[in-house]
Amino acid sequence: MRIGEMVRRTGVSERLLRYYEEQGLLTPERLPSGYRVYAERDVETVRRVRALLAAGLTTDTIARVLPCVREEGERLVPVCADLVAGLRGERERISRAIDDLQASRALLDIVIEAGPQPVAAGSR
């Protein structure tokens, strides 16, 4: 299928499909004219990429993960022994980022609370 059909089937823009290709996540065939031709399996690959991005993984990590997962219904299941350890590391990275964001929010709350409070309507 051509890129327009791929966009329609996946809901991903042409720009993102090209980016996924640059990152090695997709490898469409090329016609002599240079047009990309996607296979049916590429639709599933894009869905996997989107799910892994939503899980907080980087495209570098996804490039390593894709060959090591298969789908069971709605779930992605690891099939490579060392993948789970790597995913645990990614989970820790995400947890640290969440902790950092929560600390930032707490500091911002302190600054906001120290500022002048808005006057409620009708209380003048």
Side-chain angles (χ1 to χ4, degrees):
M1 78 190 81
R2 299 270 293 276
I3 198 165
E5 177 69 7
M6 188 68 163
V7 167
R8 189 186 68 71
R9 298 264 315 270
T10 63
V12 172
S13 70
E14 287 184 23
R15 185 174 150 266
L16 269 178
L17 291 173
R18 289 185 186 110
Y19 176 74
Y20 294 165
E21 185 179 353
E22 288 171 11
Q23 298 300 305
L25 305 175
L26 281 176
T27 53
E29 291 183 38
R30 292 289 189 131
L31 297 176
S33 62
Y35 287 114
R36 293 166 175 84
V37 178
Y38 295 93
E40 190 63 34
R41 71 182 181 285
D42 293 327
V43 173
E44 292 306 315
T45 298
V46 169
R47 289 189 180 130
R48 288 177 180 173
V49 167
R50 302 300 297 164
L52 293 167
L53 284 168
L57 299 181
T58 65
T59 54
D60 283 341
T61 301
I62 292 171
R64 292 189 310 271
V65 168
L66 277 178
C68 290
V69 294
R70 66 177 159 71
E71 288 186 39
E72 282 186 5
E74 297 292 315
R75 295 178 1 168
L76 293 177
V77 178
V79 294
C80 301
D82 60 338
L83 179 61
V84 174
L87 291 176
R88 283 191 178 111
E90 286 297 314
R91 186 181 188 287
E92 280 301 311
R93 178 189 60 79
I94 291 168
S95 293
R96 285 190 304 275
I98 289 169
D99 292 344
D100 291 345
L101 285 169
Q102 287 175 330
S104 295
R105 183 178 59 196
L107 290 171
L108 186 57
D109 286 345
I110 291 168
V111 172
I112 290 168
E113 288 299 317
Q117 299 302 310
V119 177
S123 64
R124 290 183 182 199

